[in-house]
Amino acid sequence: MASVSSRQSPEQQEEERRERARLRLLQQQVRERASRRLRGDARAGSDTRPDMDRLTAAVARAKPGTRRRAAAVTALSAELLLRFRRSPEKDVADLVTAIRLLSEGAGGRTGGAAAGRRHAVDDARVERIVGSGSAADAARVALLVECCEEWEAFERVAPPGGWGTDMGQVPDLDVLRRRLAGMAGAPARQRVRMLHACGRVRAASDGPGAGYEDMVAAVALLPRTTGWGAPPGGPGSATEQVALKAAVTADAAACAIAAGRPVEAIELLETGRGVVWDQLLHATIRAELRAVNRRLARRMDRACRDLERPGRSGEAPDRYAERDVAAERNARPDTPSAEVARRWGLVLRLTEKGAARRERRWARAAGRAQGLLPDATFQTVSYLSDIRPAAAEGPVVAVILSRFGCHALLVTAEEDAPRVVPLPALTLRAAQRNARGYLTALNELTGAEREARVQATLHWLWETVVAPVFTALAPPGRTGESGGGELPRLWWCPSGPLAVLPLHAAAPRPVAGGVRGGAGERVVSSYTPTLRSLISARKARDLRRNSGSGDQGGNRGDRDRLLLVSAGGRAGHQALPATARFRDFLTGLLPEDVLTTLHGAQATTGNVKRALGRHGRVHFDCHGRQDPVSPERTGLVLHDQDLTIADLAEVRARRPEFAFLAACSTAAPDRMDLDEMISVTSVLHYRGYQSVIGTMSPVLDTSTERVAKAVYGRLTESRPDARPDSPPVSAATLLHDAVSRERLRRPRHPSAWVPFIHVGV
């Protein structure tokens, strides 16, 4: 030790002396707090960790540069970071100590620095910090990134004189993130977060287009965790992963637009949204693959575990993989496959040999799984085959909401690329503010105050989103002006906080001499969670038309019956008098051979799940419930318990076709986290129901009763046999007409008719 000290400068020796003093002080503080806890002193604090002193002693005993030292440093730093985050006082010494310990790297000791300045570590030092790329190194670097992010945020609120602590030499945060993104031992979800953060930094400093490459690499890694990744709770939970993937997707699409790549923007958006929905229904996706091909499902499980398993140290880059990527790019430079190869080339350059082999095994298995389950997202989607067909019956408007710009992408059947419509008046913060205000008005306000807030939201949506879109599309009026023909169809695919707002009901402000027509007077609006789910619904509808053309008379199964679930009297919930009235209306309207009724004590979760498996059409007349913490527990209130999204994901209906959810808030996402639209309405459509009617927010049961009666009344009037054989074909138009009558009936009460939406074909 003396020989080492003799080679150190006085500043380095003083720094080590201070470090040892801090560790001794930390040990003393930990012992004092532990003693107070043993004595029952309430001031000990809930954040005291019993083994903090043991970890501190382990670091002091371990020899620098050894694996034992690295493991002890990582464990102690994790406890220090946790205590810093939990402590109300925010002791800076905890964070500083953690950063200095983690910055040791493979060398085992920290370097000196000039007082009062923060220095970036050179490339050689970064290499020592990163080490060999093993699991232990990846965990240590990931923890160092977290600590540096905390310090960066803490510095923004520092007093004028600073915190009185010299950090010394610390690695550049952006460099650390990039190295962590390329470490074979880092989990894929962590690498996605690092690439997203690097892209954000570049986009903020050099413009959104500069973040394109990092964002593309992040989205390219998303599909491989589809349905195989996040634990059910805690860090990395499904809810947290949904929020991360939604942010990555929106930012990647915005950067692609800034880089002049609209086709890539819609492909990135659709890929990310598909992964988000598969993440929500990951158990079902895995079960479906197992039902189709059990051996392939096991192979996918192994491939995912291998991808999350750390690589061995010392592995060299896979030059063969890079050569294959380069050959594909040079052989066909103008084809979509070359573009995909270019994207994956960036990912492969960030991986090592073993990880690259695991990537290829996953890609081969994912390609086979994609062919068996075309609606799932195992690979990056293609615009021509997976996106443009969604506009076969009308344009689709995908709205991108990102900190790097807000745009609408207009997908039409005639154009080879989506049309980009800038939305300069729309910002992410404004959307969040209006979404929360709108939900607060519908859930908590009453009377004129509520209606005024809803009306203001409709005006804001018109000015910021809908009017620019309509200007670009120039939608025609009714076909057959004198005869009052049908309005054209339009599908909305919103993202982020816009998913809770009623784009279909947006309206301009009144003008002198009359009122200009809003969205409801110009188009029949529908929604879709992803464009591929809309394509699949149309294929299922056309297949049913062709295969069902020969069904005659009573030669129909349960799948042609309508299931009515009437559960309006559960204890602890407000009574729904309209439930009984609508049940009497429907039983009088439809013959017994096409209607199955579960009401009262019969409307249990078990009975409903079994009946859903046999019926292709269903009408729910009950309360809805939104879970503010776990969106997957959002559901419908039945007689015994809630029928949640997780329950619905397990149901395998035979040729599902139509659903009407006459329940409050069935289409409202989590009010606490507006990252993505996760609702019963959209889940049913994503699970195969071709056409779904739901409510976006709380609505009076009397209004729901009138709208439902109008829809079913018109539906049966149009058929001579009084059978609801094709509700998906006309459900959107029927709902639009019913809501239009409700709007004329109560023009000053938009909360009575705005919440109704249609999802699907």
Side-chain angles (χ1 to χ4, degrees):
M1 180 64 70
S3 61
V4 174
S5 300
S6 64
R7 293 196 300 268
Q8 292 180 338
S9 65
E11 292 84 4
Q12 290 175 323
Q13 294 177 11
E14 178 65 17
E15 184 65 22
E16 286 194 356
R17 187 189 65 78
R18 292 177 181 176
E19 183 66 25
R20 288 194 296 269
R22 290 191 188 96
L23 288 176
R24 285 196 298 270
L25 178 61
L26 179 59
Q27 284 181 312
Q28 182 181 354
Q29 291 174 347
V30 169
R31 291 192 183 97
E32 289 176 355
R33 292 179 184 176
S35 299
R36 287 198 299 269
R37 169 175 286 185
L38 292 175
R39 294 195 304 266
D41 190 346
R43 295 175 299 174
S46 60
D47 63 335
T48 302
R49 307 293 290 183
D51 26 345
M52 182 74 79
D53 53 347
R54 179 178 59 82
L55 294 173
T56 305
V59 171
R61 290 194 305 267
K63 184 178 179 180
T66 62
R67 292 184 180 180
R68 179 176 297 179
R69 169 81 176 188
V73 163
T74 302
L76 176 59
S77 301
E79 297 298 334
L80 290 170
L81 177 60
L82 181 61
R83 187 170 67 179
F84 172 80
R85 286 174 171 172
R86 289 183 174 180
S87 172
E89 295 83 11
K90 298 297 181 187
D91 188 358
V92 184
D94 285 348
L95 190 58
V96 170
T97 303
I99 292 176
R100 286 177 173 167
L101 288 172
L102 292 167
S103 298
E104 289 180 358
R109 61 179 69 88
T110 58
R117 292 187 298 151
R118 181 182 179 189
H119 294 266
V121 179
D122 58 16
D123 293 340
R125 183 61 185 282
V126 171
E127 292 298 327
R128 289 197 298 270
I129 292 174
V130 171
S132 62
S134 64
D137 291 329
R140 179 169 45 78
V141 175
L143 188 58
L144 179 57
V145 168
E146 288 192 53
C147 291
C148 290
E149 289 174 344
E150 287 282 355
W151 176 255
E152 191 176 72
F154 209 52
E155 274 192 321
R156 298 193 190 104
V157 296
W163 297 109
T165 302
D166 177 26
M167 286 294 296
Q169 287 186 339
V170 294
D172 182 83
L173 184 55
D174 188 61
V175 173
L176 271 182
R177 285 169 173 161
R178 291 189 179 280
R179 291 310 310 272
L180 180 58
M183 294 180 72
R189 296 187 301 275
Q190 208 167 60
R191 296 169 62 193
V192 167
R193 192 173 77 85
M194 294 301 102
L195 287 167
H196 181 221
C198 292
R200 287 204 320 264
V201 171
R202 283 195 173 182
S205 61
D206 303 327
Y212 170 73
E213 290 292 341
D214 290 326
M215 294 293 186
V216 167
V219 175
L221 288 173
L222 285 180
R224 78 178 202 190
T225 62
T226 301
W228 279 264
S237 63
T239 304
E240 180 181 318
Q241 289 300 312
V242 164
L244 171 64
K245 291 171 182 176
V248 171
T249 299
D251 291 345
C255 290
I257 291 175
R261 300 172 178 270
V263 172
E264 286 81 353
I266 193 70
E267 289 176 346
L268 292 170
L269 185 69
E270 181 69 7
T271 300
R273 290 181 66 83
V275 171
V276 166
W277 280 92
D278 288 348
Q279 178 72 39
L280 179 67
L281 305 176
H282 67 279
T284 301
I285 295 295
R286 183 188 288 116
E288 288 188 356
L289 183 59
R290 188 182 301 116
V292 175
N293 190 323
R294 185 178 296 272
R295 183 176 180 181
L296 179 59
R298 289 197 299 267
R299 186 178 302 171
M300 291 285 288
D301 285 331
R302 287 195 301 270
C304 184
R305 286 196 300 268
D306 289 342
L307 286 169
E308 298 298 320
R309 186 180 301 153
R312 295 190 299 272
S313 61
E315 290 179 332
D318 191 346
R319 297 171 182 167
Y320 295 101
E322 294 185 4
R323 184 189 62 186
D324 293 342
V325 169
E328 176 69 17
R329 185 173 61 247
N330 296 331
R332 294 187 290 273
D334 299 324
T335 61
S337 61
E339 178 64 20
V340 173
R342 186 188 62 77
R343 296 178 188 173
W344 277 103
L346 176 60
V347 178
L348 290 175
R349 287 196 299 273
L350 293 173
T351 60
E352 297 182 44
K353 183 177 180 180
R357 284 199 301 267
R358 295 192 291 270
E359 294 270 5
R360 293 197 296 273
R361 283 198 294 268
W362 164 267
R364 287 193 296 268
R368 291 191 59 193
Q370 192 71 70
L372 296 174
L373 297 177
D375 294 337
T377 306
F378 297 107
Q379 297 175 321
T380 304
V381 301
S382 168
Y383 178 77
L384 295 179
S385 60
D386 301 321
I387 295 177
R388 191 174 69 171
E393 298 178 8
V396 181
V397 182
V399 185
I400 298 172
L401 194 60
S402 168
R403 72 191 75 189
F404 302 119
C406 300
H407 305 80
L409 293 175
L410 312 184
V411 181
T412 60
E414 298 81 17
E415 297 177 283
D416 293 333
R419 208 180 315 167
V420 179
V421 180
L423 304 175
L426 179 65
T427 64
L428 180 58
R429 289 195 175 186
Q432 292 171 339
R433 183 173 61 253
N434 279 272
R436 296 191 184 281
Y438 173 74
L439 292 177
T440 299
L442 288 173
N443 285 275
E444 300 176 10
L445 302 182
T446 58
E449 186 180 6
R450 175 185 61 192
E451 305 305 330
R453 187 67 189 87
V454 173
Q455 197 65 255
T457 302
L458 300 183
H459 297 331
W460 178 81
L461 285 172
W462 177 265
E463 294 165 357
T464 57
V465 181
V466 178
V469 168
F470 281 5
T471 300
L473 282 176
R478 291 183 180 270
T479 57
E481 296 293 337
S482 59
E486 294 184 356
L487 289 172
R489 295 289 304 276
L490 178 70
W491 279 264
W492 298 97
C493 185
S495 62
L498 282 181
V500 310
L501 295 175
L503 292 167
H504 64 282
R509 301 180 189 277
V511 295
V515 179
R516 294 175 296 176
E521 286 80 19
R522 303 191 183 200
V523 295
V524 175
S525 292
S526 298
Y527 292 85
T528 181
T530 66
L531 279 73
R532 285 184 302 147
S533 67
L534 186 61
I535 296 173
S536 297
R538 289 203 183 111
K539 290 180 179 178
R541 178 201 62 191
D542 296 341
L543 179 63
R544 181 182 178 85
R545 285 177 177 174
N546 297 332
S547 63
S549 59
D551 292 345
Q552 299 292 336
N555 192 23
R556 306 170 188 262
D558 281 348
R559 61 182 175 84
D560 294 309
R561 298 169 64 92
L562 175 68
L563 172 65
L564 172 62
V565 180
S566 180
R570 180 172 162 183
H573 293 267
Q574 183 180 1
L576 298 175
T579 300
R581 296 196 300 268
F582 181 77
R583 185 172 65 251
D584 294 339
F585 164 80
L586 204 57
T587 53
L589 182 69
L590 300 177
E592 293 183 359
D593 63 332
V594 295
L595 180 65
T596 302
T597 303
L598 294 176
H599 67 90
Q602 296 176 326
T604 62
T605 303
N607 290 339
V608 170
K609 289 174 68 174
R610 284 189 292 271
L612 285 174
R614 300 191 303 266
H615 292 75
R617 307 180 182 95
V618 60
H619 181 100
F620 284 96
D621 203 347
C622 57
H623 280 292
R625 190 179 72 85
Q626 201 69 33
D627 192 299
V629 179
S630 301
E632 65 271 13
R633 290 201 292 266
T634 293
L636 304 169
V637 179
L638 300 185
H639 180 76
D640 56 344
Q641 61 185 22
D642 295 346
L643 182 69
T644 65
I645 285 177
D647 294 328
L648 291 170
E650 297 174 357
V651 174
R652 300 178 64 86
R654 295 179 56 192
R655 299 178 68 177
E657 184 180 354
F658 173 71
F660 195 128
L661 305 179
C664 293
S665 304
T666 54
D670 180 8
R671 294 180 58 199
M672 303 298 292
D673 188 356
L674 304 178
D675 291 298
E676 192 52 61
M677 183 173 173
I678 301 172
S679 65
V680 178
T681 306
S682 294
V683 164
L684 283 176
H685 171 66
Y686 198 78
R687 293 296 299 124
Y689 284 85
Q690 302 160 27
S691 187
V692 185
I693 294 175
T695 55
M696 186 174 278
S697 52
V699 63
L700 294 175
D701 63 330
T702 53
S703 298
T704 305
E705 178 189 6
R706 285 193 295 269
V707 169
K709 285 182 177 180
V711 169
Y712 284 101
R714 287 273 312 278
L715 187 64
T716 55
E717 286 175 4
S718 62
R719 299 198 57 81
D721 57 355
R723 294 176 182 271
D725 281 347
S726 302
V729 176
S730 55
T733 301
L734 294 180
L735 176 66
H736 178 272
D737 294 343
V739 171
S740 297
R741 285 195 292 272
E742 192 70 13
R743 182 175 64 245
L744 294 175
R745 184 176 181 273
R746 307 187 68 182
R748 298 184 179 180
H749 295 80
S751 63
W753 43 268
V754 163
F756 295 98
I757 66 169
H758 173 265
V759 179
V761 298

